Amino acid sequence: MSAGTESTSPRRRGRRPAGEDTRRALLDAARRSFAEHGFAGATVRGIAAEAGVDAAMVNHWFGGKEGLFASAMELPLDPKRISEMLLTGPLEEMGERIVRTFLSVWDGAGGGAFVALMRSASSNETAARMLREFISNVVFGPITRRVGPDRPELRAALCGTQISGLGMVRYVIKLEPLASADHDTLAAAIAPNLQRYLTGDLGPTSTPT
């Protein structure tokens, strides 16, 4: 396969290839669109139009909307791929898979951009919205809609509190002994809570009076 398609405009010395310009334009447009409309409201077609490119370029560069979201947030993981990984295997072990998967990703990146996003979320509404979208619509929402017996939105939010709390305490606050605990210890302690959030009984549903 040849390198990126030649631009019709004159090439300037030192300028990046046209393909990289397209990718960067898509990322800039995606960050604005996701921040303004959220993951569900932002569309591939709208993002591509704002970037001035064909919508097919999103699939070409990022593999779809989820991959574009991950790249726009500078996440060290593809949300679609991680959801597929978490859904593969015994349902009763999903809580443990979630803990181990996130710890492996985070430890491999030294916390990574996702932890930077959590750090910013307390003071920046754009970062807070991106974090909410990641928890509710990109990773845990699709999982709880598939495996949860009821109230998938609540289950996704509860899973989000557990995982983002773990990330905050381990990588931002660095509270010991949790900050240096091994994965086996953390999985044994946290996975049962996550498993109940995913598939267990959450108690009675409140009704308006």
Side-chain angles (χ1 to χ4, degrees), residues 128-208:
R129 179 168 187 172
M130 295 288 272
L131 183 57
R132 289 195 299 269
E133 293 288 343
F134 179 83
I135 291 170
S136 300
N137 294 323
V138 180
V139 173
F140 292 118
I143 290 174
T144 56
R145 284 193 291 271
R146 287 185 60 174
V147 307
D150 57 11
R151 292 183 279 179
E153 293 83 6
L154 176 59
R155 292 178 185 277
L158 289 169
C159 289
T161 64
Q162 195 77 68
I163 289 301
S164 20
L166 171 61
M168 179 67 72
V169 171
R170 184 172 172 87
Y171 301 101
V172 179
I173 300 174
K174 298 183 179 179
L175 179 64
E176 294 292 357
L178 192 147
S180 57
D182 60 71
H183 293 191
D184 288 342
T185 298
L186 294 177
I190 297 170
N193 285 341
L194 270 172
Q195 194 66 45
R196 183 172 73 85
Y197 294 157
L198 289 164
T199 60
D201 182 9
L202 298 183
T205 304
S206 61
T207 55

Side-chain angles (χ1 to χ4, degrees), residues 9 109 122-123 167 178:
S9 59
S122 62
S123 59
L178 192 147

Side-chain angles (χ1 to χ4, degrees), residues 7-205:
S7 170
T8 55
S9 59
R11 296 288 298 277
R12 296 178 183 176
R13 180 173 298 180
R15 186 178 178 182
R16 293 187 179 185
E20 286 299 319
D21 291 343
T22 296
R23 186 178 187 277
R24 185 168 54 248
L26 281 169
L27 286 173
D28 290 343
R31 292 186 183 104
R32 291 191 295 270
S33 188
F34 286 133
E36 182 178 354
H37 304 294
F39 180 82
T43 66
V44 167
R45 189 177 298 276
I47 292 169
E50 183 176 345
V53 302
D54 190 275
M57 289 294 99
V58 173
N59 283 331
H60 173 74
W61 282 104
F62 306 101
K65 186 177 177 181
E66 293 87 354
L68 177 58
F69 183 85
S71 295
M73 292 178 66
E74 299 180 354
L75 296 176
L77 73 167
D78 180 342
K80 184 176 181 180
R81 179 171 171 270
I82 201 171
S83 293
E84 292 172 352
M85 288 170 54
L86 296 176
L87 287 165
T88 301
L91 179 58
E92 64 273 15
E93 296 175 5
M94 182 176 286
E96 181 174 351
R97 288 199 299 277
I98 290 174
V99 176
R100 291 185 181 278
T101 298
F102 274 88
L103 286 173
S104 295
V105 170
W106 282 337
D107 283 357
F114 184 59
V115 173
L117 181 69
M118 286 193 293
R119 186 183 289 113
S120 301
S122 62
S123 59
N124 183 283
E125 176 54 30
T126 297
R129 179 168 187 172
M130 295 288 272
L131 183 57
R132 289 195 299 269
E133 293 288 343
F134 179 83
I135 291 170
S136 300
N137 294 323
V138 180
V139 173
F140 292 118
I143 290 174
T144 56
R145 284 193 291 271
R146 287 185 60 174
V147 307
D150 57 11
R151 292 183 279 179
E153 293 83 6
L154 176 59
R155 292 178 185 277
L158 289 169
C159 289
T161 64
Q162 195 77 68
I163 289 301
S164 20
L166 171 61
M168 179 67 72
V169 171
R170 184 172 172 87
Y171 301 101
V172 179
I173 300 174
K174 298 183 179 179
L175 179 64
E176 294 292 357
L178 192 147
S180 57
D182 60 71
H183 293 191
D184 288 342
T185 298
L186 294 177
I190 297 170
N193 285 341
L194 270 172
Q195 194 66 45
R196 183 172 73 85
Y197 294 157
L198 289 164
T199 60
D201 182 9
L202 298 183
T205 304

Side-chain angles (χ1 to χ4, degrees), residues 1-6 11 17-19 60-61:
M1 182 176 178
S2 61
T5 304
E6 288 287 341
R11 296 288 298 277
H60 173 74
W61 282 104

